Amino acid sequence: SSELTQDPAVSVALGQTVRITCQGDSLRSYYASWYQQKPGQAPVLVIYGKNNRPSGIPDRFSGSSSGNTASLTITGAQAEDEADYYCNSRDSSGNHPWVFGGGTKLTVL
Amino acid sequence: QVQLVQSGAEVKKPGASVKVSCKASGYTFTGYYMHWVRQAPGQGLEWMGWINPNSGGTNYAQKFQGRVTMTRDTSISTAYMELSRLRSDDTAVYYCARNYDILTGPDYYYYMDVWGKGTTVTVSS
């Protein structure tokens, strides 16, 4: 079955760099997109494609991809970056045309 | 600006149905597929399906086939998601999200660029 795997939790010291990863077979064919979700709020797109940020997303957010792994990097993490992060991609091999990762809870210390 | 406005919270009994609406504004409704995604309390995001507002064509996640129906009314730029035979584990926040795809050079990008604020559906006897 198709799926995307993320670490459940990651922590980073304020101002340091953190990488959140997402693994899955679908990522060999499709780019991941990344969403930030804060408590009680809807998800917000932060990275899409090879490494693209929507308008309004700070440039400390970046994305990369290699093989079956996509990564979201926050360079100089801020307190307001504490949130859940989800990866997502198209998927042509499984039962769902789209698949989400299980999410990573980022704590900024 | 592009906006998706969802209907209000619902409380339903097991076995009932719920219909959630998502009104789009700020763009051509028929030009973009619409996803439905749900999130159970304390859980992650789960893709339910999508609808092509232009044709009405749908594609549902296997888990929901037979219970979910996605429709649209192009005259009022609104998408709907109806879930039937509700169970307690259908208690969740239901989101609509606009699909965006673009060909950039050799690469095709697919993503959900705008989300509604969510509709809480509580299933309880």
Side-chain angles (χ1 to χ4, degrees), chain B residues 31-81:
Chain B
Y32 301 82
Y33 282 49
M34 190 74 77
H35 298 272
W36 288 92
V37 176
R38 78 175 187 179
Q39 185 172 38
Q43 302 301 307
L45 301 173
E46 181 175 32
W47 186 80
M48 298 181 69
W50 63 348
I51 183 169
N52 177 347
N54 188 41
S55 67
T58 55
N59 192 331
Y60 304 140
Q62 190 173 50
K63 173 178 179 177
F64 299 103
Q65 284 181 6
R67 283 209 304 144
V68 71
T69 304
M70 296 178 187
T71 57
R72 91 293 188 215
D73 184 339
T74 58
S75 69
I76 56 172
S77 300
T78 299
Y80 302 92
M81 186 285 300

Side-chain angles (χ1 to χ4, degrees), chain A residues 18-92:
Chain A
V18 62
R19 176 174 292 180
I20 298 170
T21 61
C22 173
Q23 288 188 302
D25 288 341
S26 63
L27 301 179
R28 296 186 185 277
S29 303
Y30 300 101
Y31 286 103
S33 49
W34 290 92
Y35 304 86
Q36 176 192 70
Q37 187 181 36
K38 296 181 179 180
Q41 297 183 18
V44 172
L45 177 70
V46 294
I47 290 289
Y48 65 93
K50 190 172 290 186
N51 179 19
N52 298 87
R53 284 175 288 105
S55 173
I57 300 302
D59 61 5
R60 63 179 179 271
F61 289 87
S62 63
S64 62
S65 181
S66 177
N68 73 336
T69 301
S71 300
L72 172 70
T73 299
I74 307 174
T75 303
Q78 301 300 302
E80 61 265 31
D81 299 334
E82 185 163 294
D84 294 326
Y85 291 86
Y86 294 91
C87 60
N88 170 248
S89 80
R90 290 293 306 264
D91 181 21
S92 57

Side-chain angles (χ1 to χ4, degrees), chain B residues 43-121:
Chain B
Q43 302 301 307
L45 301 173
E46 181 175 32
W47 186 80
M48 298 181 69
W50 63 348
I51 183 169
N52 177 347
N54 188 41
S55 67
T58 55
N59 192 331
Y60 304 140
Q62 190 173 50
K63 173 178 179 177
F64 299 103
Q65 284 181 6
R67 283 209 304 144
V68 71
T69 304
M70 296 178 187
T71 57
R72 91 293 188 215
D73 184 339
T74 58
S75 69
I76 56 172
S77 300
T78 299
Y80 302 92
M81 186 285 300
E82 184 170 22
L83 190 62
S84 63
R85 303 193 301 278
L86 290 169
R87 307 184 294 254
S88 58
D89 61 358
D90 291 317
T91 293
V93 178
Y94 290 77
Y95 296 101
C96 57
R98 188 178 78 162
N99 181 75
Y100 200 100
D101 54 70
I102 185 170
L103 180 61
T104 302
D107 297 323
Y108 222 117
Y109 297 164
Y110 304 87
Y111 50 97
M112 303 174 190
D113 68 335
V114 180
W115 293 62
K117 291 189 184 302
T119 297
T120 299
V121 175

